[in-house]
């Protein structure tokens, strides 16, 4: 036990964490890779900046060109940070969804949560185009929450079966997607064009106001998810085992679902429909550190953030000077991966 696990018990909190000994090393490696990817992403653009000058500017050191400060701090850094936060939020949401449904093919983008958030955000963009950016996460959260509550209620038959949650969620995803198409069909051409770009999933033009609106959601609900990892591990054992251990299954599942909805809704409100990150990140995390959620959650979050940062960079590099939204890149990677997982599940 002691050889495989690190036991962390904070003195000021009545909690403990059991981490696989691989987790700190994997997190360090992923952090370094992510920082390198972010530096390259910040430096790449119509006005290229070397990685050394990017680092100097971020550290406040003098550089050869005074324009670097404006280009990096005002134009490119918010976009890159937004990409990382969106990926981390989606990855945590996906990890929670797969945990409470006990299904490796489940994710907010598949079971209807993302579709509800997208519908609410697109409705707000089209009907009230002058709405402050800070209200978009709340709208997406409300849309995701309403759809999640409907899914939970319709899946309830003396309890919330994970299988019923997934099946009902897929149905609601289709309904919400249809309603989103209706909104874009009858909206004004200017607002619809903005909504369509947003629907593709992009962090283009993201500003500090959007980053600052997203940070509280990721921090608060990310910490909540981390504190609920023990409950998530218990639910993974099955309802009967969880009840025998004294767990309040429906309360825990509902609280975890609310956390997942908040993270997915806020991420979608910032970057639009960035797909498959919530599906891929937990799977990659399990291959690296195992299934225990104390270690899986932070590793999946780092993987998700790194995936979106790299996808945003590839979207600008592959077809330069044209730019592809990062959501198209993640879909191009994630769709084949989903088919691969589906084939493995059938076997």
């Amino acid at each position: 036990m002691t050889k495989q696990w690190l036991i962390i018990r904070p003195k000021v909190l009545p909690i403990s964490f059991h981490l696989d000994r691989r987790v700190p090393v994997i997190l360090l490696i992923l952090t370094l890779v992510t920082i390198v990817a972010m530096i390259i992403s910040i430096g790449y653009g119509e006005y290229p900046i070397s990685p050394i000058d990017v680092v100097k500017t971020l550290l406040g050191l003098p550089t050869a060109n005074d324009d670097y400060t404006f280009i990096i701090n005002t134009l490119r850094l918010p976009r890159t940070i937004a990409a990382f936060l969106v990926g981390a939020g989606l990855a945590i949401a996906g990890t929670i969804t797969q945990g409470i449904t006990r299904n490796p093919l489940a994710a907010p983008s598949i079971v209807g949560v993302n579709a509800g958030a997208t519908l609410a955000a697109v409705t707000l963009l089209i009907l009230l185009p002058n709405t402050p950016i800070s209200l978009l996460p709340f709208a997406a959260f409300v849309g995701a929450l309403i759809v999640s509550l409907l899914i939970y209620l319709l899946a309830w038959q003396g309890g919330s079966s994970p299988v019923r949650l997934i099946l009902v969620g897929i149905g609601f995803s289709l309904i919400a997607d249809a309603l989103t198409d209706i909104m874009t069909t009858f909206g004004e051409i200017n607002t619809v064009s903005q909504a369509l770009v947003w629907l593709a999933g992009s962090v283009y033009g993201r500003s500090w106001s959007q980053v600052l609106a997203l940070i509280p959601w990721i921090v608060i609900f990310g910490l909540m998810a981390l504190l609920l990892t023990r409950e998530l591990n218990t639910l993974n054992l099955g309802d009967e085992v969880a009840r025998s251990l004294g767990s309040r299954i429906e309360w825990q599942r509902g609280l975890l679902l609310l956390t997942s909805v908040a993270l997915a809704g806020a991420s979608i409100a910032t970057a639009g429909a960035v797909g498959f990150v919530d599906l891929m990140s937990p799977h990659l995390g399990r291959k690296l550190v195992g299934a225990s959620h104390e270690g899986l959650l932070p590793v999946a979050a780092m993987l998700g953030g790194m995936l979106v940062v790299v996808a945003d960079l590839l979207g600008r590099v592959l077809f330069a000077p044209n730019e592809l939204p990062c959501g198209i890149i993640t879909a191009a990677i994630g769709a084949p991966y989903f088919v691969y997982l589906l084939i493995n599940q059938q076997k």
Side-chain angles (χ1 to χ4, degrees):
M1 180 75 175
T2 55
K3 290 182 179 180
Q4 183 181 358
W5 301 95
L6 291 171
I7 302 175
I8 302 174
R9 292 191 179 94
K11 294 182 179 179
V12 295
L13 296 173
I15 57 175
S16 64
F17 296 98
H18 291 69
L19 295 179
D20 191 295
R21 286 187 176 274
R22 293 172 292 178
V23 171
V25 177
I26 295 296
L27 274 178
L28 178 61
I29 294 172
L30 291 176
T31 301
L32 294 175
V33 173
T34 302
I35 290 173
V36 171
M38 293 176 78
I39 291 173
I40 295 173
S41 179
I42 292 170
Y44 182 83
E46 202 171 311
Y47 194 101
I49 302 174
S50 69
I52 294 177
D53 285 329
V54 171
V55 174
K56 284 183 177 180
T57 303
L58 293 175
L59 295 177
L61 300 176
T63 58
N65 194 326
D66 294 335
D67 293 337
Y68 288 169
T69 301
F70 173 77
I71 294 172
I72 291 174
N73 293 337
T74 303
L75 300 179
R76 296 182 183 176
L77 184 59
R79 173 178 183 158
T80 305
I81 293 177
F84 176 79
L85 292 175
V86 165
L90 290 173
I92 297 173
T95 304
I96 293 173
T97 303
Q98 291 179 11
I100 62 178
T101 60
R102 303 198 305 276
N103 189 323
L105 298 180
S109 58
I110 294 173
V111 300
V113 175
N114 286 12
T118 300
L119 174 60
V122 168
T123 301
L124 191 67
L125 284 172
I126 291 177
L127 297 183
L128 300 171
N130 296 322
T131 301
I133 292 296
S134 59
L135 293 181
L136 204 57
F138 288 98
F141 170 69
V142 170
L145 181 61
I146 291 173
V147 169
S148 299
L149 289 175
L150 290 173
I151 293 170
Y152 205 78
L153 290 173
L154 290 176
W156 183 277
Q157 291 182 5
S160 56
S161 164
V163 175
R164 287 196 299 271
L165 283 172
I166 293 173
L167 294 176
V168 175
I170 292 173
F172 266 99
S173 179
L174 296 173
I175 293 171
D177 287 341
L179 292 174
T180 302
D181 290 339
I182 291 173
M183 293 299 302
T184 56
T185 300
F186 294 101
E188 292 290 335
I189 185 64
N190 292 332
T191 53
V192 168
S193 61
Q194 294 175 4
L196 289 176
V197 173
W198 183 84
L199 281 171
S202 175
V203 290
Y204 173 79
R206 294 303 176 264
S207 63
W208 282 115
S209 61
Q210 291 166 300
V211 171
L212 294 176
L214 177 62
I215 286 175
W217 292 80
I218 302 299
V219 172
I220 292 172
F221 289 98
L223 288 175
M224 185 182 295
L226 193 61
L227 293 174
L228 292 170
T229 50
R230 179 173 293 182
E231 286 74 11
L232 200 53
N233 286 334
T234 304
L235 289 175
N236 257 342
L237 299 174
D239 289 1
E240 293 184 4
V241 175
R243 283 195 183 94
S244 68
L245 294 173
S247 297
R248 294 179 293 175
I249 293 176
E250 301 307 334
W251 168 255
Q252 292 174 355
R253 189 172 283 148
L255 188 58
L256 284 162
L257 184 61
L258 177 66
T259 304
S260 175
V261 165
L263 289 165
S267 300
I268 290 168
T270 302
V274 180
F276 291 102
V277 174
D278 50 2
L279 177 71
M280 291 188 292
S281 302
H283 280 280
L284 297 174
R286 288 188 194 95
K287 292 182 182 298
L288 293 174
V289 297
S292 179
H293 287 89
E294 287 95 338
L296 174 60
L297 211 66
V299 169
M302 189 61 66
L303 282 167
M306 183 180 69
L307 281 172
V308 178
V309 169
V310 173
D312 181 49
L313 176 60
L314 290 176
R316 287 179 283 150
V317 171
L318 293 178
F319 299 97
N322 297 318
E323 182 174 323
L324 284 179
C326 59
I328 294 178
I329 302 297
T330 58
I333 300 171
Y337 190 70
F338 180 76
V339 173
Y340 163 76
L341 292 175
L342 189 61
I343 293 173
N344 276 359
Q345 284 295 107
Q346 289 177 342
K347 290 181 179 180

